[in-house]
Amino acid sequence: MASGCRDCSTCTKSGLGKLVLKAGTGLLYLCTLGIAYVVKRAFRRHCPQCEHLLSRHARRADGSFRD
């Protein structure tokens, strides 16, 4: 897996921001017994480069990615 992509708001967060996001996400998955993880992986589209949600990537007005 690559280190990240420049259009992804998750990849471009600071280290502290990533830590808080991962802690909150881990708590959510723990509280829902992994059901939230399965639903997210099954029904949401992910970036092939960084594997984060495509909805968290910056796009131009025409819908194309900024890269």
Side-chain angles (χ1 to χ4, degrees):
M1 181 171 86
S3 62
C5 53
R6 64 182 175 197
D7 287 338
C8 180
S9 62
T10 305
C11 290
T12 56
K13 280 186 188 274
S14 67
L16 180 62
K18 288 180 185 179
L19 178 69
V20 170
L21 183 66
K22 285 185 180 187
T25 304
L27 182 63
L28 173 72
Y29 293 159
L30 183 66
C31 290
T32 61
L33 302 175
I35 294 171
Y37 176 78
V38 172
V39 169
K40 177 185 168 234
R41 295 305 285 173
F43 297 110
R44 303 289 305 267
R45 295 185 66 205
H46 293 80
C47 175
Q49 182 178 358
C50 67
E51 298 183 4
H52 291 126
L53 292 174
L54 277 178
S55 61
R56 309 248 335 154
H57 287 65
R59 297 179 187 248
R60 293 188 187 107
D62 66 354
S64 63
F65 292 107
R66 289 201 179 164
D67 274 341

